[in-house]
Amino acid sequence: MEDDDEFSRADSGDDGATDDGTNSSVPSPMDMGDDFEPFVIGRPQGVDVVKELKSICLDHEEGSSTENLAIELNSFKFSQNASYADVVGGVVQAIFTRMQLEVGTSPGALVSRLRKQLDDWSPILQKFSQDLNDEVAIVKSVEGAALGDIDEATMTVLSKQPAFRFVLQTLHDAELVQEEALLVWAGERRMERGTNDDSARMTLFEQQPTQDFLEWLEESSEEEETDEEDDEDDSDEE
């Protein structure tokens, strides 16, 4: 997705390192997993930025222009030194909250409600998804919703096969999440095999419909690479 000058990224510094570039007193985020929330310079302690961003989205009137909402989200982002991933996380949570899922909502009804919400929210997700990492954050936010980040009803609906796969596929079809982002997320989860096999997150990931979808994406990606290589060979011969 193209960068918007108004929403360009700011580089962050690296403070607190020792002479050899390490800091033994601070644990590495790589060792802490997805739930690790590091201290962010410029962000007041105790502020749940994703929750606040979600609240801003929920205050937005459905069906109205998202231009002012984008400005408000961006202003809050900079005031809290939040990331684009934080913003899309808040948007995803707001989407599923507004869907008002009930225990027993069918996968078909789930997809129908999601598509209706995306009619309003796709422009916001596209504006704040500045790179691959932000698209991965969208996937992880859906994963979090399926694991209980929003409410029990949403967790129950999304975690029941094949609902989770249908949501991922809908986001992919809407061009909000590229296959590369889905495969990056899948690669991270596969690295957890053998260590967290009994966790709810791995149980969700290993659902057969989800694995079938990922396999299809991988095959599609390989076919595209082969076609590109063939085109390059044909061009060289000419």
Side-chain angles (χ1 to χ4, degrees), residues 187-202:
E188 292 181 10
R189 293 295 166 262
R190 285 168 181 157
M191 289 181 65
E192 298 178 24
R193 284 173 172 164
T195 58
N196 295 312
D197 291 344
D198 295 332
S199 69
R201 187 164 70 185
M202 287 305 294

Side-chain angles (χ1 to χ4, degrees), residues 114-181:
L114 177 57
R115 286 174 176 165
K116 182 178 180 181
Q117 289 295 323
L118 292 180
D119 287 342
D120 286 335
W121 293 101
S122 286
I124 290 292
L125 286 173
Q126 290 168 342
K127 182 177 287 292
F128 287 97
S129 293
Q130 296 286 300
D131 60 23
L132 184 68
N133 291 331
D134 301 327
E135 292 186 22
V136 174
I138 291 175
V139 178
K140 290 182 177 180
S141 295
V142 175
E143 178 184 54
L147 296 175
D149 284 357
I150 298 178
D151 55 47
E152 186 173 351
T154 300
M155 176 183 68
T156 300
V157 173
L158 290 182
S159 62
K160 185 176 181 180
Q161 305 183 48
F164 185 62
R165 176 249 170 94
F166 282 1
V167 170
L168 297 183
Q169 187 169 352
T170 300
L171 293 172
H172 177 261
D173 291 345
E175 299 183 349
L176 294 170
V177 176
Q178 303 175 63
E179 63 183 36
E180 185 178 359

Side-chain angles (χ1 to χ4, degrees), residues 39-45 78-82:
F39 171 73
V40 179
I41 296 173
R43 178 184 300 177
Q45 289 185 320
F78 280 109
S79 72
Q80 300 297 319
N81 199 22

Side-chain angles (χ1 to χ4, degrees), residues 13 17 31 54 66 101 105 111-113 118 127 138 198 214:
D31 299 330
K54 170 187 173 182
T66 57
L101 300 175
T105 299
V111 170
S112 178
R113 293 188 194 184
L118 292 180
K127 182 177 287 292
I138 291 175
D198 295 332
L214 294 172

Side-chain angles (χ1 to χ4, degrees), residues 57-95:
C57 292
L58 291 176
D59 287 339
H60 172 68
E61 184 179 350
E62 289 188 85
S64 61
S65 172
T66 57
E67 184 177 347
N68 290 336
L69 174 61
I71 294 173
E72 187 175 359
L73 290 171
N74 198 52
S75 297
F76 182 84
K77 171 188 173 297
F78 280 109
S79 72
Q80 300 297 319
N81 199 22
S83 66
Y84 286 96
D86 291 329
V87 178
V88 297
V91 173
V92 169
Q93 288 200 7
I95 288 172

